[in-house]
Amino acid sequence: MLSLLLLIPFAGALLLALWPGRPAEGRMRTVTLVVLGLQLAWSLVVLARFDPANSAMQLQESLPWVESLGLEYKLGVDGLSLPLVLINAALTLVSAICTRDIDKRPRVYFLLLLVISGSVNGAFLAENLLLFFLFYELELIPLWGLIAIWGGVNRAYAATKFLIFTAVSGMLILGAFLGLALLTGTADFSLTPITGERLAMGSQLLLLGALLIGFGIKVPLFPFHNWLPDAHTQASTPVSVLLAGVLLKLGTYGLLRFCMGLFPEAWALLAPGLAVWAAVSVLFGSLAAIAQKDMKRMVAYSSVGHMGYILLAAAAATPIAILGAVFQMVAHGLISALLFLLVGIVYRKTGTRDLTVLHGLLNPERGLPFTGTLMIVGVMASAGMPGMAGFISEFMVFRGSIGAFPFATLLSMVGSGLTAVYFLLLVNRAFFGRLAVTPPIDPVAHGRLDVNLAAVAPRETIPAMALAVAVFAIGLLPYGLGRLSEAASTAMVQLPALAAAVYSGGLG
């Protein structure tokens, strides 16, 4: 069953590559939507076959590949990976739906989109470290191409920076995996926790440090975040949706599955420092977002802050904190995708994302009232308003972390409060007041004080409406996601080294 989650998008990409002639964009898009619709449907079939009460890997598939290297085709799914597989299927479909007017190499564009989706599924389902790395690296070049070919004016710079940062990330991760085999004297690349009986603590810390930096780049966490704002700013709206909603989760998934899961003893030792790192990342992301004038860069920096909550939860390593981390990954995927979609609509209709230029877009007659309403919903969800996905995820992270690291948790809560500040600035400047798209200098001579913006077509807002409904659904009815991931989250913190620290209060 799980192999089909790889086969469907990869077969779709192959179909596009072999399609004869020079097919029109509409045909390529239709084929892609059908393939991604099948992927989403099959993901729901996997969900139906999944037993939430079982914390172990389920629906496993295993085939020998290169046994001498320890490379095995081994797939499995549990309560940590299944929500991310579903998010990948949903948001890749949203990205394809929102893709319009690809007049340059549409075949290549949609092919790369499908390759990325299949690669992400493979990374989330892989039970072999080398197999994970292969899928982790496989999405790198396609995403670079989506930014470098279909991005903004400075797309070459942003794409190159992304490529360099993520290449370093991959090298560190591969080095840690190979170092694990070298130091343990085996070619075993299975997901087996490393204890002091297998590897000295100094070696564990060295390997864990490499993984932390590697996945910290991908998340990204401060100070490895530098590539993200440029990538988002230059990427098209569908690519930003995919990047923020799905691809960043490869980093947070790696922190939980490989950093904490492989090295529980070293993780427990580093946990206090990791909590401080999380708090710094949260505060930096929030303060940097406040300073932004570009709407897209503001949303990008907000991701830096919100990803820090997941590191805080992982450092605390309590059942409710880990479950909160799963909620936060899902909630951030939905909310960031919603915000980037809406910023894209504003940019298409006004030609700018500058908060010093935009005013009064909520104007009910000549502005973007419905887009503005959805934007308010999105920023309220990101700020953690009750009844929305952002609230339940942050509440669970803070509730699970405050007993272990009260100071770091309080600082992160301050960062959560700052979310309301910078998004209030965004909404107040861009959507309230008199409708205008006006340069700040000499607006009478050069500004557009009497603006009549083009209407937003329903097909542009339907994906955003669907995401908004999902944000409310998780916020009001969190039981479904909680039941799906609770057993796996509890099992993760019952690794011997972590359990001894957590349940004795040793991490406090």
Side-chain angles (χ1 to χ4, degrees):
M1 292 190 69
L2 299 183
S3 290
L4 276 176
L5 290 175
L6 282 61
L7 180 62
I8 291 172
F10 287 150
L14 181 62
L15 175 63
L16 294 183
L18 298 178
W19 198 285
R22 300 185 62 182
E25 175 202 344
R27 180 165 295 179
M28 294 290 94
R29 184 172 175 273
T30 300
V31 172
T32 303
L33 290 177
V34 170
V35 172
L36 292 175
L38 288 174
Q39 177 183 256
L40 178 58
W42 194 252
S43 300
L44 295 176
V45 172
V46 172
L47 174 63
R49 293 286 302 275
F50 184 79
D51 179 11
N54 185 357
S55 63
M57 286 287 183
Q58 301 179 42
L59 306 176
Q60 290 177 302
E61 302 174 17
S62 180
L63 290 172
W65 194 354
V66 188
E67 295 184 61
S68 60
L69 297 180
L71 177 58
E72 183 182 11
Y73 179 80
K74 188 173 183 181
L75 305 180
V77 67
D78 65 355
L80 173 61
S81 55
L82 183 53
L84 300 177
V85 169
L86 293 169
I87 282 289
N88 175 46
L91 292 185
T92 310
L93 181 59
V94 167
S95 297
I97 292 172
C98 296
T99 298
R100 300 286 176 179
D101 303 323
I102 300 296
D103 54 357
K104 181 168 55 177
R105 287 176 271 185
R107 182 205 303 264
V108 178
Y109 177 92
F110 290 110
L111 185 153
L112 295 180
L113 204 65
L114 291 173
V115 170
I116 289 175
S117 187
S119 303
V120 170
N121 277 340
F124 288 146
L125 297 174
E127 283 195 73
N128 179 277
L129 301 183
L130 292 184
L131 185 64
F132 167 83
F133 174 77
L134 290 178
F135 286 120
Y136 183 87
E137 288 292 285
L138 187 57
E139 54 82 25
L140 172 60
I141 297 301
L143 186 61
W144 170 83
L146 290 177
I147 298 173
I149 300 174
W150 294 276
V153 176
N154 295 321
R155 58 185 180 273
Y157 169 77
T160 302
K161 181 185 284 189
F162 161 79
L163 186 64
I164 292 172
F165 271 80
T166 48
V168 171
S169 168
M171 287 189 293
L172 289 170
I173 293 169
L174 179 60
F177 289 164
L178 294 178
L180 183 60
L182 176 65
L183 294 175
T184 56
T186 66
D188 180 13
F189 290 98
S190 61
L191 296 177
T192 305
I194 305 301
T195 63
E197 296 178 355
R198 293 185 60 192
L199 198 61
M201 181 56 69
S203 299
Q204 290 191 46
L205 292 174
L206 177 64
L207 297 176
L208 177 57
L211 286 179
L212 281 171
I213 297 175
F215 288 120
I217 292 172
K218 191 71 173 183
V219 170
L221 297 167
F222 174 84
F224 308 115
H225 66 282
N226 189 257
W227 64 270
L228 184 66
D230 292 315
H232 271 307
T233 303
Q234 297 304 318
S236 63
T237 296
V239 176
S240 285
V241 168
L242 197 61
L243 176 58
V246 178
L247 296 176
L248 299 189
K249 308 307 177 291
L250 288 171
T252 52
Y253 176 80
L255 291 176
L256 295 171
R257 177 73 75 198
F258 302 108
C259 293
M260 189 178 80
L262 287 179
F263 302 99
E265 292 180 347
W267 185 269
L269 186 64
L270 293 182
L274 296 176
V276 173
W277 186 14
V280 170
S281 191
V282 169
L283 289 174
F284 174 84
S286 299
L287 292 172
I290 291 175
Q292 301 308 308
K293 303 301 181 184
D294 185 299
M295 295 173 71
K296 208 172 187 184
R297 290 184 73 88
M298 181 179 285
V299 178
Y301 273 108
S302 76
S303 292
V304 177
H306 283 82
M307 291 293 94
Y309 301 143
I310 299 171
L311 178 59
L312 175 66
T318 61
I320 191 172
I322 299 301
L323 186 58
V326 176
F327 267 83
Q328 179 65 14
M329 286 190 282
V330 173
H332 177 266
L334 296 172
I335 295 169
S336 61
L338 173 60
L339 292 174
F340 279 118
L341 281 180
L342 298 172
V343 171
I345 292 174
V346 170
Y347 183 68
R348 285 198 303 273
K349 301 303 178 182
T350 65
T352 183
R353 299 186 300 258
D354 193 337
L355 291 174
T356 63
V357 170
L358 296 169
H359 307 284
L361 296 181
L362 268 175
N363 185 292
E365 296 181 359
R366 295 176 290 111
L368 306 173
F370 190 62
T371 300
T373 302
L374 289 175
M375 179 67 78
I376 292 173
V377 170
V379 301
M380 289 172 65
S382 186
M385 293 296 292
M388 299 183 178
F391 170 78
I392 186 66
S393 59
E394 291 179 19
F395 176 81
M396 294 177 70
V397 169
F398 297 150
R399 175 65 182 84
S401 303
I402 196 165
F405 304 112
F407 183 66
T409 303
L410 289 174
L411 289 179
S412 298
M413 292 171 69
V414 172
S416 178
L418 292 175
T419 303
V421 174
Y422 58 76
F423 277 138
L424 180 62
L425 292 174
L426 183 152
V427 171
N428 185 56
R429 291 174 180 175
F431 291 93
F432 290 97
R434 180 183 178 183
L435 179 62
V437 183
T438 309
I441 301 175
D442 197 6
V444 175
H446 303 288
R448 294 166 55 198
L449 295 176
D450 187 14
V451 181
N452 192 5
L453 298 177
V456 180
R459 62 177 173 81
E460 297 180 89
T461 55
I462 287 176
M465 291 173 60
L467 292 174
V469 169
V471 166
F472 276 109
I474 293 177
L476 295 173
L477 301 169
Y479 172 76
L481 178 57
R483 181 172 177 270
L484 183 65
S485 301
E486 183 177 9
S489 301
T490 302
M492 289 189 68
V493 301
Q494 288 178 340
L495 295 170
L498 283 176
V502 171
Y503 294 112
S504 67
L507 293 185

